[in-house]
Amino acid sequence: MNSKRKRIIADFTYNPVTAQAHANIALVKYWGKRSVDLNLPAVGSISLTLDALKTTTTLQFDDALENDILQLDHRNIVGEPLSRLSRFLDVAAETNERPSAKIVSANNFPTGAGLASSASGFAALAVAVNEAMNLNLSKEELSSLARKGSGSAARSIYGGFAEMKCGTAPDDDREDYAVHLYNESYWDLRLLIAVTSTDKKEIGSTEGMVRTAKTSPFYKNWVESQDTDLKEMRSALNAKDFQKIGELTEHSCFKMHGLAMSGRPPLLYWNGATTEMIHTIWNLRSKGTAAYVTMDAGPQVKVLCQPGNSELVKQAMYSVKGVKKIIEAKPGPGATIVSDDQFKVKNS
Ligand code: 2P0
């Protein structure tokens, strides 16, 4: 990205703007921040955007509104989630003296349960903001803006595979944006998501990351070893080496969860079905089916496999008690504006 900071001059449009973005799964995980205030990651990460997990957001600035309004999944939202979005709009506009906005957002999957709703949510909002404020941001600038809302959102700007880069200074965000690795047609893979709970998690990612950084004796090592994982994943993706990608994906996942568990008090995002699922997939793999697990800050288990094995893997996953449903995802597209003909939101 251009190292010169671009001065953002917002030029507000008052028509409704609708954007869509998809969640992503981190194959090499992000965990830890080098600045909480600026939301700067402590480590880079690599992800795959998922077609099945989608957020659609309509943003409309309106001088007649006294405050920002947020409707999420048909419910009016107040308190911290609304304040977080208001702060994001202030940051994007570089002023809090801006018109108030109405944001209507819907996820086609459970919100706040470890299915990366903040990734698709802030990626969609960044794209909508770019249009509604006429910011004319490049993809990398858009990614950087999305990151200010949520670290993982920076990656959902792109379809297919993306890598989040990360700088070193605690007060400089010029290197903190995702870049595109391969688009969604690069490789046909499947990510099968076992939903084992739709409850909201008790400890959010930000709080979890802060606790881990402060209290885990392994945190320094986590940060220092990330570059090796990123390098190996880049080269495995380039070679389309599925086994290597699967092994690295599991390694990064268990490293992250082991790290979180080693904090004080320990952080354990899993439930019984999560553990049962891990053993089920490992058992399947020992009998010759290439499938690999990964979990984020929640109890859902995501299983990476190739298309030819997805039915067999799904069958095994359904055998685990406590599985509420399985979502099958393929590599998905990047975040875009959708025209009103493609999507009509009830905006009243
Ligand atoms: C990731 N996760 O790389 C990691 C793996 C969860 C586990 O990024 O605080 O919502 O908003 O920057 O992006 C989830 O945390 O965190 C996350 P914030 P975010 O996908």
Side-chain angles (χ1 to χ4, degrees):
M1 193 163 42
N2 190 332
S3 62
K4 268 198 215 142
R5 240 173 243 268
K6 181 158 139 186
R7 172 84 192 140
I8 292 173
I9 301 166
D11 171 17
F12 295 92
T13 295
Y14 288 84
N15 294 325
V17 170
T18 299
Q20 278 184 346
H22 295 78
N24 66 77
I25 180 77
L27 306 178
V28 178
K29 306 287 188 197
Y30 147 54
W31 198 254
K33 296 174 195 278
R34 67 179 204 283
S35 165
V36 173
D37 289 346
L38 297 178
N39 206 31
L40 303 179
V43 292
S45 51
I46 291 180
S47 64
L48 172 62
T49 299
L50 304 170
D51 71 338
L53 305 181
K54 183 173 72 184
T55 299
T56 306
T57 298
T58 298
L59 167 67
Q60 183 167 23
F61 288 105
D62 185 346
D63 282 327
L65 291 175
E66 273 189 29
N67 300 103
D68 297 328
I69 295 173
L70 169 62
Q71 278 175 17
L72 178 59
D73 293 332
H74 308 289
R75 285 210 299 264
N76 287 322
I77 307 288
V78 291
E80 178 47 28
L82 172 60
S83 304
R84 187 174 174 190
L85 291 203
S86 294
R87 288 195 299 272
F88 180 77
L89 296 180
D90 294 347
V91 166
E94 294 192 347
T95 174
N96 55 10
E97 295 192 2
R98 56 165 175 85
S100 291
K102 179 172 182 178
I103 300 165
V104 180
S105 189
N107 294 323
N108 70 346
F109 60 94
T111 301
L115 286 174
S117 55
S118 69
S120 50
F122 278 103
L125 189 58
V127 168
V129 158
N130 184 41
E131 184 80 4
M133 294 187 191
N134 290 302
L135 300 177
N136 295 313
L137 301 179
S138 68
K139 285 271 187 223
E140 289 173 356
E141 288 166 335
L142 257 182
S143 172
S144 181
L145 175 60
R147 188 215 80 237
K148 293 172 187 173
S150 186
S152 52
R155 303 182 309 234
S156 273
I157 294 298
Y158 304 102
F161 297 88
E163 176 170 353
M164 180 69 202
K165 300 288 183 184
C166 121
T168 48
D171 56 354
D172 185 341
D173 72 350
R174 279 177 297 182
E175 290 173 67
D176 297 270
Y177 55 88
V179 296
H180 204 191
L181 295 179
Y182 304 101
N183 70 22
E184 59 271 32
S185 55
Y186 176 66
W187 197 6
D188 191 16
L189 295 174
R190 292 292 181 276
L191 191 86
L192 303 170
I193 303 162
V195 178
T196 63
S197 168
T198 50
D199 296 344
K200 283 217 165 162
K201 58 193 167 208
E202 283 170 25
I203 309 282
S205 302
T206 302
E207 190 184 340
M209 289 186 203
V210 169
R211 183 192 297 179
T212 307
K214 264 196 200 146
T215 63
S216 167
F218 308 131
Y219 185 71
K220 189 166 174 272
N221 194 268
W222 158 261
V223 173
E224 285 172 1
S225 62
Q226 188 78 343
D227 277 351
T228 306
D229 293 357
L230 290 168
K231 193 169 157 222
E232 286 185 24
M233 184 59 85
R234 255 180 251 130
S235 117
L237 283 173
N238 183 46
K240 292 191 181 172
D241 183 340
F242 184 73
Q243 185 183 336
K244 183 80 184 160
I245 286 163
E247 284 169 10
L248 284 167
T249 297
E250 281 198 354
H251 173 63
S252 181
C253 164
F254 284 98
K255 217 161 92 171
M256 183 210 110
H257 284 276
L259 181 77
M261 285 179 216
S262 71
R264 285 186 175 183
L267 203 51
L268 178 60
Y269 284 110
W270 306 347
N271 59 28
T274 314
T275 315
E276 193 59 34
M277 183 64 75
I278 294 166
H279 288 296
T280 301
I281 296 302
W282 285 353
N283 186 32
L284 196 67
R285 199 158 81 222
S286 72
K287 293 182 185 138
T289 302
Y292 297 86
V293 298
T294 184
M295 289 77 67
D296 292 304
Q300 330 302 357
V301 185
K302 292 110 185 205
V303 181
L304 188 68
C305 67
Q306 291 181 289
N309 284 332
S310 76
E311 284 310 312
L312 184 73
V313 175
K314 244 192 290 184
Q315 227 175 28
M317 290 170 77
Y318 270 121
S319 75
V320 174
K321 207 168 146 230
V323 170
K324 295 187 188 307
K325 72 170 171 174
I326 293 175
I327 302 168
E328 181 164 356
K330 298 178 194 171
T336 52
I337 292 290
V338 286
S339 71
D340 273 1
D341 326 339
Q342 286 166 280
F343 184 78
K344 297 239 183 254
V345 179
K346 271 191 235 140
N347 215 21
S348 56

